Amino acid sequence: MTSLLRTDILSLIHLRSDGRRPNEIRHMTCHLGALPSTTDSGSACPSSACSGSAMVTMGLTQVLCTVRGPCEVGRRNEELPDRATLEVTMRTAPFAPPGDRRSTNPTSDRRLIEQSHLLQKAMSASILLHLYPKSKISVTVMVLADDGGRLEAA
């Protein structure tokens, strides 16, 4: 007598590993203002103050996004005279289960760096950076749970 695994049972009734049927899409929710934001409009932007945040859940994938800025640029050589500098950082929480089942250094993971670059290109096209010259806007994306589709959720 053989024991059936959970994946075997799901494949017998034609369900995916997260319980969806093949023709169903992931359930998506978006909660704006997930973290307390500051209304301080000072010229310097403290590292702990966030201007806005959102918690996005797509299936079993959870992503927390925070925006800081516009604020002054730390270095003069990073400052652009005609538009704001957009900085996008994508990280994985240390407690997050890996979606691709591998453990790597989050600062040197090529997939996270590439996904940060793709998000930066997409956001720079949609944010009116020319309205904030000589400033910086920082976007941080923290992947809390990864079950596939972390770039789409971000």
Side-chain angles (χ1 to χ4, degrees):
M1 184 169 147
T2 61
S3 63
L4 291 175
L5 298 174
R6 180 178 187 270
T7 56
D8 294 335
I9 294 171
L10 289 175
S11 66
L12 288 175
I13 56 175
H14 305 293
L15 293 179
R16 296 181 186 181
S17 62
D18 58 357
R20 294 181 293 133
R21 298 199 182 280
N23 60 349
E24 290 180 339
I25 61 172
R26 292 183 172 116
H27 179 70
M28 184 173 176
T29 60
C30 182
H31 175 64
L32 300 178
L35 296 177
S37 63
T38 60
T39 56
D40 185 9
S41 61
S43 60
C45 194
S47 61
S48 63
C50 85
S51 301
S53 62
M55 172 75 80
V56 178
T57 304
M58 198 169 98
L60 299 176
T61 302
Q62 288 187 343
V63 176
L64 177 66
C65 303
T66 60
V67 178
R68 290 174 176 84
C71 59
E72 291 182 6
V73 180
R75 297 182 191 160
R76 284 278 196 195
N77 60 353
E78 295 176 354
E79 185 176 281
L80 298 174
D82 59 339
R83 64 182 184 275
T85 304
L86 181 63
E87 177 185 83
V88 178
T89 307
M90 189 168 190
R91 297 182 182 153
T92 304
F95 55 83
D100 48 8
R101 306 295 184 246
R102 63 188 178 104
S103 60
T104 59
N105 185 0
T107 58
S108 64
D109 188 8
R110 289 187 353 208
R111 289 186 186 181
L112 287 177
I113 293 171
E114 180 183 357
Q115 289 175 351
S116 297
H117 182 67
L118 290 171
L119 282 173
Q120 182 176 10
K121 285 174 59 176
M123 288 182 188
S124 64
S126 61
I127 298 173
L128 302 175
L129 296 174
H130 67 277
L131 296 178
Y132 308 103
K134 299 181 181 181
S135 62
K136 177 173 112 175
I137 299 173
S138 298
V139 178
T140 304
V141 177
M142 180 68 72
V143 180
L144 302 176
D146 187 9
D147 190 47
R150 67 178 167 195
L151 183 61
E152 291 81 7

